Amino acid sequence: MLPIKMILNHNEIILKEILPKKSFFFNITEKLRIVFSIFYLAIAVFFVTNTLNSSFWLFSIIVIGIFCNALYITFFRWILKYWKLKNNCYVITNQRIVIVEKFNGKILKYKKLNEIEQVNAEMNANYFGNIIFGKPESLSGENNDNFYFFRKRGINFTEDKYAFLSVENINEIIPVFNELGLKVNKTFY
């Protein structure tokens, strides 16, 4: 067990504590996002190099904004994900799932078990992957989602709101969800 000092509700019992592995699980959607983000960064670099000699300063500011956005999508969002993996841990109780800061026990996110409609486990053959509580975010998003530059078309970079990322031995965690009455949809990549 991990030495977590989080505040529990009345009659709440910790069933499982999970420490995420400090590496990433790439499903098909994430691999396509990476390809798109590299392509987006290449286009942004092309625009920046072409606007360096331009005297139209408003266009230069817009291009710098696009370049910064491309840098975030390509690199900096991975740094933020790694920081979260390094500093957080996951807790399953008899009342809720919780994402907790490791060092101080502060609850960052939680979802009550009765609010969870579905649990999706995306994993590889070694049972390493992500556990998503709710419908996983798709590559193209929903029909009414807004994207960076277009209204109806684009790549969705929205992270799953409630997810345990980079979890090892998911096969040992699935029985806990089954005991709590939650059905787990398994996807192997």
Side-chain angles (χ1 to χ4, degrees), residues 36-46 67 70-71 74-75:
F36 174 79
S37 65
I38 292 170
F39 178 71
Y40 182 44
L41 181 63
I43 290 172
V45 168
F46 173 76
F67 178 72
L71 274 178
T74 308
F75 298 111

Side-chain angles (χ1 to χ4, degrees), residues 124-138:
N124 61 19
N126 298 325
Y127 298 102
F128 170 72
N130 302 329
I131 302 172
I132 301 165
F133 302 96
K135 184 179 177 188
E137 290 290 335
S138 67

